[in-house]
Amino acid sequence: MIRILVFLAVVFALGLGFAWLADRPGDMVVTFGGYQYQVSLMVAAVAVTAVVAAVMIAWWLVKSIWNSPYTIARYFRVRQRDRGYQALSSGMIAAGAGDAALARKMNKQAAKLIRSETEPLIHLLDAQASLLEGDHDAAREKFERMLDDPEMRLLGLRGLYLEAERLGDRQAARHYAGRAAGIAPQLGWAIDSTLEEKTAAGDWDSALKLVDAQTATRQVDKEAASRRRAVLLTAKAEDLIDTDLAAAKAAALEANRLLPAFPPAAVIAAKALFRQNDIRKGAKILEAAWKAEPHPAVADQYIHARPGDAVLDRLARAQKLQSLRQNNVESSLAVARAALDAHEFKVAREAVEAAIRMQPREGAYLLLADIEEAETGDQGRVRQYLAMAVRAPRDPAWVADGFVSDRWAPVSPVTGRLDAFEWRAPVERLGQLIEQDAPEHPSLALPKGGETVPADDTVPAEIDAVVVEAEPVAVAGGDQAVPESDESPAPEREQEAEPARMPDDPGVDPVQEQPERRFRLF
């Protein structure tokens, strides 16, 4: 568009010029070789213009003829290059589709039409074709030759990294990833693999530098980068807590600042502060973490902030936590544990029963069994609670790649992945209960006063139909206790003798209400 406007402007200017000459009559006299030539000014202007145009056309013709060999050669060279790029494109598509034969054919054709020194993609297509053909040794050689070319070095390192991963050589894979990360910190695969290497070796400072480099290149969002940094700082603080308290405190406080609701960071920060007798600040950190996400480790650290505290003081601290998050399972269990230590059995029992009403699970029933044993020593009831614990869902734990741990760790012991652990309930017990088609786990029963009653006020309708068989139990003397049959009429079941017990088993109180509802204990 601009060129058209310029052309029109030039034509308009020439027209104005010739019109101006035409409006001003005059003659032009030229004396040459003894002759005198006289023409009008307009004719002279047209003649000069024609001469200039003729000279320009003649120069263009001479130049075109002179450059014609180069022009013809360039035409064929461009045509050959276009054919080569078309073959290269077809070969890359074939390699992506898994067509090894077509990829190799197109690679040979592209290599003939394009020089590999000017087009590195030919080397990539050659390596991909070798991989598709199953010739991994040749592919590795091609990737290694790419390391000598600065333009292809990262591609060669990526190929060697993938080959090392395929062979299961983690050390070699991390070596290639480390070299790539040093050249280009923005490469996610290189940073992640190098992070695994650094964290596996416990080199937290180097890992933090890698995270900072990745953050600077904006390859990860701010929230993800902050979490990674908090996890690494927490791990560093845990390593230094016994050797360099000041450095551990600084790392832990920064981790807690980045992730205030991250329980491991809050716990290690409070632990460092408590060791420096800064009880108040450490308690505030734990209280903030507890409000955000109640966690048993936070409660344990908060309750035992002062090692010399009396058991009643620890109970008071547990009750303070409960006031911060009421109607919470972890709050009730923390109070129950502290009350059990203080031998406040009534408080402990009420707290754990409240926890079971909110969320029945294994740890709550085990704690109830401990309370029963400490308060009454009734072994029959203790065993019943233990049986309920076996059937109840498992307590939340730190889970990473199928590995369950009571303690948090910065990396997965299975895959080495950073920040793999999650605080949740393992699913194994839940899967077993579903396979056995069990009713909702023991919201079923809390034996209390000789009765077996549901945890809440109403009994689910499906429980009425659940009658569970018990496995035969060997008894001293050679006889076996025969379980009651589901098919026997109710009157006959009432008349059957009490099942045999172990000599030291005092048994449990008979069921007073709803005798037809019985539940699986073992």
Side-chain angles (χ1 to χ4, degrees):
M1 184 67 183
I2 296 177
R3 291 183 178 181
I4 295 175
L5 293 176
V6 172
F7 174 77
L8 293 176
V10 171
V11 172
F12 182 72
L14 290 174
L16 287 178
F18 281 107
W20 182 78
L21 289 176
D23 293 339
R24 288 164 176 75
D27 295 329
M28 182 177 178
V29 178
V30 178
T31 303
F32 180 76
Y35 293 94
Q36 188 177 38
Y37 303 94
Q38 182 177 0
V39 294
S40 66
L41 187 59
M42 187 65 180
V43 172
V46 171
V48 171
T49 303
V51 170
V52 172
V55 171
M56 293 179 63
I57 292 173
W59 174 253
W60 176 79
L61 288 174
V62 172
K63 185 179 179 181
S64 298
I65 295 173
W66 181 264
N67 292 332
S68 59
Y70 171 77
T71 303
I72 295 173
R74 185 177 63 178
Y75 168 78
F76 286 107
R77 187 168 61 251
V78 170
R79 183 181 177 188
Q80 179 180 355
R81 185 186 63 185
D82 291 343
R83 290 172 55 204
Y85 276 110
Q86 182 63 40
L88 181 61
S89 176
S90 300
M92 295 298 294
I93 294 173
D99 190 345
L102 181 58
R104 177 60 67 188
K105 178 181 177 181
M106 292 296 102
N107 177 68
K108 292 180 180 179
Q109 184 176 347
K112 291 179 182 179
L113 298 173
I114 308 175
R115 291 188 303 169
S116 59
E117 293 81 3
T118 60
E119 184 46 68
L121 284 179
I122 295 178
H123 298 295
L124 175 60
L125 180 57
D126 191 11
Q128 292 292 332
S130 298
L131 288 175
L132 290 174
E133 293 168 350
D135 192 355
H136 293 278
D137 293 336
R140 282 196 298 273
E141 291 178 1
K142 293 178 177 66
F143 285 129
E144 288 174 355
R145 285 199 296 269
M146 293 180 189
L147 301 182
D148 298 330
D149 185 357
E151 189 176 359
M152 298 288 291
R153 185 169 295 138
L154 290 175
L155 179 58
L157 289 172
R158 171 68 171 172
L160 293 172
Y161 167 79
L162 293 177
E163 281 297 293
E165 285 283 328
R166 183 186 64 83
L167 295 174
D169 190 349
R170 300 296 298 276
Q171 184 176 0
R174 289 173 176 175
H175 167 73
Y176 294 127
R179 290 183 59 182
I183 299 173
Q186 72 275 10
L187 297 177
W189 63 270
I191 290 292
D192 292 340
S193 181
T194 308
L195 269 178
E196 291 181 5
E197 179 184 7
K198 300 300 183 183
T199 53
D203 190 355
W204 310 116
D205 290 331
S206 298
L208 286 167
K209 290 179 181 178
L210 288 173
V211 171
D212 292 341
Q214 194 176 33
T215 305
T217 57
R218 297 182 180 179
Q219 295 300 309
V220 295
D221 56 46
K222 186 177 181 181
E223 184 178 354
S226 297
R227 182 171 182 85
R228 277 191 173 185
R229 184 170 179 81
V231 169
L232 292 172
L233 288 169
T234 303
K236 178 181 178 181
E238 288 187 346
D239 277 358
L240 297 177
I241 190 67
D242 295 324
T243 57
D244 190 347
L245 185 58
K249 174 185 172 182
L253 290 177
E254 184 179 354
N256 181 253
R257 178 182 60 82
L258 293 172
L259 282 182
F262 187 45
V267 169
I268 194 63
K271 187 176 181 180
L273 291 168
F274 291 161
R275 290 192 179 185
Q276 293 184 341
N277 295 323
D278 195 348
I279 306 297
R280 183 177 180 181
K281 186 175 181 180
K284 287 184 177 180
I285 289 176
L286 293 175
E287 288 173 0
W290 184 263
K291 290 178 182 178
E293 183 180 354
H295 192 277
V298 175
D300 184 69
Q301 190 68 39
Y302 185 83
I303 293 170
H304 296 86
R306 294 187 182 91
D309 280 352
V311 290
L312 292 177
D313 293 334
R314 293 201 293 267
L315 175 58
R317 295 178 71 85
Q319 290 172 337
K320 182 178 179 180
L321 281 181
Q322 188 180 35
S323 67
L324 297 177
R325 282 297 295 263
Q326 297 181 359
N327 298 324
N328 182 270
V329 177
E330 298 297 344
S331 297
S332 298
L333 292 179
V335 171
R337 294 188 188 97
L340 176 59
D341 292 340
H343 295 282
E344 295 288 342
F345 300 116
K346 182 179 179 181
V347 176
R349 188 182 295 275
E350 290 175 353
V352 75
E353 289 178 355
I356 291 175
R357 283 192 294 272
M358 287 183 283
Q359 184 182 356
R361 65 192 195 194
E362 182 181 23
Y365 284 105
L366 292 176
L367 183 56
L368 194 58
D370 291 339
I371 296 171
E372 188 68 39
E373 184 174 15
E375 183 180 12
T376 66
D378 188 341
Q379 294 300 314
R381 239 174 232 185
V382 169
R383 291 177 185 177
Q384 189 169 1
Y385 291 137
L386 293 178
M388 291 178 179
V390 172
R391 299 293 299 160
R394 295 181 63 179
D395 291 275
W398 291 108
V399 182
D401 301 318
F403 181 83
V404 182
S405 174
D406 294 332
R407 290 174 55 85
W408 174 84
V411 296
S412 168
V414 180
T415 61
R417 182 165 54 95
L418 180 66
D419 192 24
F421 276 95
E422 299 177 6
W423 180 255
R424 60 180 176 83
V427 298
E428 292 84 356
R429 179 73 57 79
L430 179 59
Q432 295 172 2
L433 291 170
I434 293 174
E435 289 177 3
Q436 296 173 6
D437 197 20
E440 291 222 358
H441 336 309
S443 46
L444 294 179
L446 275 180
K448 187 173 183 181
E451 297 181 357
T452 302
V453 296
D456 50 4
D457 296 334
T458 60
V459 179
E462 65 271 20
I463 294 180
D464 292 335
V466 177
V467 180
V468 186
E469 297 179 1
E471 296 293 334
V473 179
V475 182
D479 295 330
Q480 290 185 346
V482 181
E484 296 177 350
S485 172
D486 295 340
E487 301 177 356
S488 59
E492 294 181 7
R493 289 199 299 269
E494 292 177 358
Q495 297 174 2
E496 289 179 357
E498 182 180 356
R501 302 190 181 97
M502 296 293 289
D504 61 343
D505 186 358
V508 296
D509 295 336
V511 178
Q512 299 293 332
E513 297 179 5
Q514 301 174 350
E516 70 280 2
R517 294 174 184 162
R518 292 173 289 107
F519 310 102
R520 187 196 301 261
L521 299 181
F522 298 94

